[in-house]
Amino acid sequence: MRMSRYFLPVLRETPAEAQIASHRLMLRSGMIQQASAGIYSWMPLGRRVLGKLETIIHEEQAAAGHIPILMPTLQPAALWQESGRYDDYGQEMLRITDRQGRHLLYGPTNEELVTDIFRGHVKSYRNLPLTLYHIQWKFRDEIRPRFGIMRGREFLMKDGYNFDVDEASAVHAYNRHLVSYLRTYQRMGLKAIPMRADTGPIGGKLSHEFLVLADTGESELFFDSNILELGLGDSDIDYDSREACASVFDRWTQQYARTDETHDPDHFARHVPAVRQRRSRGIEVGQIFYFGTKYSEPMDACVNDASGQRVPVHMGSHGIGVSRLVGAIIEANHDDKGIVWPEPVAPFAVGVINLKPDNEEVSAVCEDLCVRLEAQGLEPLYDDTDDRAGSKFTTMDLIGLPWRLTVGPRSLAAGELELTCRRDGRTFNCAPEEAIGRLTDIYGVK
């Protein structure tokens, strides 16, 4: 993509309303623009990051055997009245009446609607287990939206729903989701810690939140530092194995890790050595629930079991805040110059800077680099503008692409260009062939 043809409305000054790093940098880098309180337009650069996150989520959901659908943003109020949640949800729910006098709501979540889909089509335990999910815009009428997309009113969310014939099968689904979420966050370059959580208006008896450590997080965290040493590595997970999924669940949840809502100070003091006790703040980026028959019983979502008896299915729900993840990644990856994207979620793999666009040889090398990078699946952002060199570098640092290729007459005379790492500032003077080879190795291109 040529910068001269791209829409990248960067700001040189920080807007006064931006209080945290992610909000400041998303506005300054032209990723978002506020439409109204807590509601944002996603500009081209921001939309590309959302797309990278969605791709990773879809791939990990497919690996776990989950099936994508797409439900509407507007839902009939009657379904929520049937489950008993319509009046309980509170003023965060946006309620709407259409021209026919029908009562609708802008969905904050989809338990009722997906249960209605399920009960209309699935009648036998032979069709279970089943997990349906989608990625969709949602709305919660926050009383005080703030911190940009971190606590907005409209947000993009992945939410999934499992249906199982009994509790043991549903608990396996819960464990399977925990594993798939850990893999998802790891691929995004994030360390997300599962912590015991309150079930809130979703209900049920089992829930874990996934939190990323950040000084600007809204949640206060208490945890055993041992959990920071855990990882999944590159090993494959057998999602059909209850033992394998339970083993990962046990390993990640046996260490003390809770938010302030569920924190037990006495237990923390007695069972976690003082040297390993940690207190921090964090950003919630996902949550999983097991709520048994909370929705299936009142909504008559039942199947015939192996004995022919009609039983309500056991359910759980599982969410990832996709748009919120963008802010969380920036909070965990930035410096005083701007964003520092991890390679898997960067809007472009590499920035190419042409220091002399009016120089035919320099421009020819830059364009050849772009063609060869694209052929390797590494889409570049090519700064072919007439801006000053300092301005070009400032913009590239602000938008945070992981790697930068700089081409100018002086280095080209020596048959070289500069390859620079955004994270640590390392610069390699190398031939174009070598630069392409380094980047394909870094991104794992085969």
Side-chain angles (χ1 to χ4, degrees):
M1 174 60 66
R2 290 176 179 270
M3 191 90 83
S4 60
R5 299 177 185 173
Y6 199 51
F7 183 50
L8 187 65
V10 298
L11 304 176
R12 295 307 177 194
E13 302 296 329
T14 299
E17 72 272 18
Q19 300 175 31
I20 62 173
S22 58
H23 193 194
R24 291 195 301 271
L25 292 171
M26 291 182 76
L27 289 171
R28 286 195 54 214
S29 63
M31 293 181 66
I32 58 172
Q33 178 172 305
Q34 181 171 305
S36 63
I39 301 175
Y40 290 85
S41 296
W42 286 77
M43 313 299 254
L45 198 73
R47 181 64 190 88
R48 288 182 68 89
V49 178
L50 284 179
K52 293 292 184 73
L53 299 181
E54 290 180 60
T55 296
I56 291 173
I57 291 169
H58 280 305
E59 289 174 353
E60 291 302 325
Q61 289 295 297
H66 306 157
I67 302 169
I69 60 174
L70 183 59
M71 291 175 275
T73 55
L74 292 180
Q75 303 179 29
L79 289 176
W80 286 64
Q81 291 165 341
E82 189 178 349
S83 73
R85 282 208 302 172
Y86 186 69
D87 294 322
D88 293 343
Y89 208 89
Q91 293 184 334
E92 286 188 355
M93 179 187 289
L94 181 61
R95 295 166 170 84
I96 304 164
T97 302
D98 69 12
R99 68 176 66 193
Q100 303 297 331
R102 291 178 291 240
H103 296 291
L104 305 169
L105 58 99
Y106 194 129
T109 183
N110 283 70
E111 282 81 7
E112 284 80 3
L113 192 55
V114 76
T115 302
D116 185 54
I117 292 171
F118 175 87
R119 70 183 176 182
H121 300 281
V122 181
K123 306 300 180 184
S124 170
Y125 77 98
R126 292 186 177 87
N127 300 119
L128 302 180
L130 177 65
T131 295
L132 304 174
Y133 80 95
H134 68 167
I135 298 177
Q136 176 216 50
W137 289 98
K138 300 188 182 300
F139 188 90
R140 292 176 188 164
D141 200 2
E142 293 278 354
I143 188 171
R144 192 162 63 93
R146 58 193 185 279
F147 305 149
I149 52 88
M150 296 292 287
R151 196 166 183 82
R153 294 193 295 163
E154 186 182 54
F155 53 95
L156 188 62
M157 180 176 174
K158 172 268 165 183
D159 47 317
Y161 306 89
N162 67 282
F163 301 87
D164 290 275
V165 70
D166 54 32
E167 181 172 352
S169 300
V171 169
H172 170 55
Y174 186 93
N175 295 344
R176 186 175 69 242
H177 276 84
L178 182 136
V179 175
S180 71
Y181 277 23
L182 289 173
R183 285 177 59 90
T184 298
Y185 297 129
Q186 179 175 280
R187 283 188 59 188
M188 294 174 181
L190 283 175
K191 182 75 171 185
I193 303 173
M195 298 194 172
R196 182 81 62 82
D198 184 80
T199 57
I202 301 294
K205 61 182 182 180
L206 182 60
S207 180
H208 282 82
E209 291 177 334
F210 294 80
L211 293 111
V212 175
L213 300 183
D215 293 338
T216 53
E218 292 187 283
S219 299
E220 189 172 16
L221 315 179
F222 302 85
F223 58 95
D224 186 329
S225 62
N226 276 355
I227 203 167
L228 299 176
E229 306 302 319
L230 296 179
L232 291 176
D234 297 324
S235 58
D236 291 330
I237 300 292
D238 181 0
Y239 283 112
D240 291 328
S241 168
R242 295 189 179 190
E243 294 75 16
C245 291
S247 175
V248 176
F249 175 87
D250 291 342
R251 187 157 51 92
W252 279 82
T253 60
Q254 68 183 356
Q255 308 290 343
Y256 189 96
R258 300 191 185 185
T259 66
D260 49 359
E261 291 182 336
T262 59
H263 177 50
D264 183 340
D266 292 337
H267 183 92
F268 189 55
R270 288 198 311 269
H271 296 282
V272 181
V275 71
R276 300 207 315 256
Q277 292 177 13
R278 296 290 185 272
R279 182 175 180 174
S280 183
R281 302 200 69 80
I283 300 168
E284 181 195 342
V285 293
Q287 191 165 0
I288 58 177
F289 300 85
Y290 164 61
F291 40 69
T293 58
K294 174 181 171 65
Y295 299 93
S296 57
E297 283 189 349
M299 298 185 69
D300 196 32
C302 300
V303 296
N304 294 325
D305 66 12
S307 66
Q309 183 179 356
R310 198 163 179 268
V311 296
V313 292
H314 286 249
M315 293 176 58
S317 68
H318 321 275
I320 292 178
V322 184
S323 52
R324 170 178 272 244
L325 263 173
V326 179
I329 291 170
I330 293 172
E331 290 292 332
N333 297 274
H334 70 274
D335 59 21
D336 58 356
K337 296 179 180 179
I339 304 167
V340 185
W341 291 112
E343 278 92 353
V345 298
F348 294 92
V350 58
V352 176
I353 292 183
N354 184 336
L355 293 179
K356 285 289 183 181
D358 57 351
N359 182 302
E360 291 185 5
E361 183 182 5
V362 172
S363 295
V365 169
C366 287
E367 293 185 16
D368 181 64
L369 281 170
C370 290
V371 169
R372 292 165 66 186
L373 286 165
E374 288 174 351
Q376 296 291 336
L378 303 176
E379 189 169 1
L381 179 61
Y382 173 30
D383 190 341
D384 60 338
T385 67
D386 293 325
D387 290 345
R388 293 178 297 103
S391 177
K392 292 175 183 253
F393 291 135
T394 297
T395 297
M396 282 294 180
D397 284 341
L398 174 62
I399 66 176
L401 304 186
W403 294 89
R404 184 180 76 223
L405 290 171
T406 305
V407 185
R410 186 177 302 173
S411 61
L412 205 55
E416 295 179 337
L417 48 75
E418 291 183 352
L419 174 63
T420 302
C421 175
R422 173 67 179 88
R423 186 166 296 278
D424 58 23
R426 287 176 299 148
T427 295
F428 307 92
N429 294 308
C430 51
E433 283 284 350
E434 183 183 348
I436 296 288
R438 282 177 179 261
L439 288 169
T440 55
D441 288 343
I442 289 164
Y443 281 95
V445 176
K446 295 184 174 64

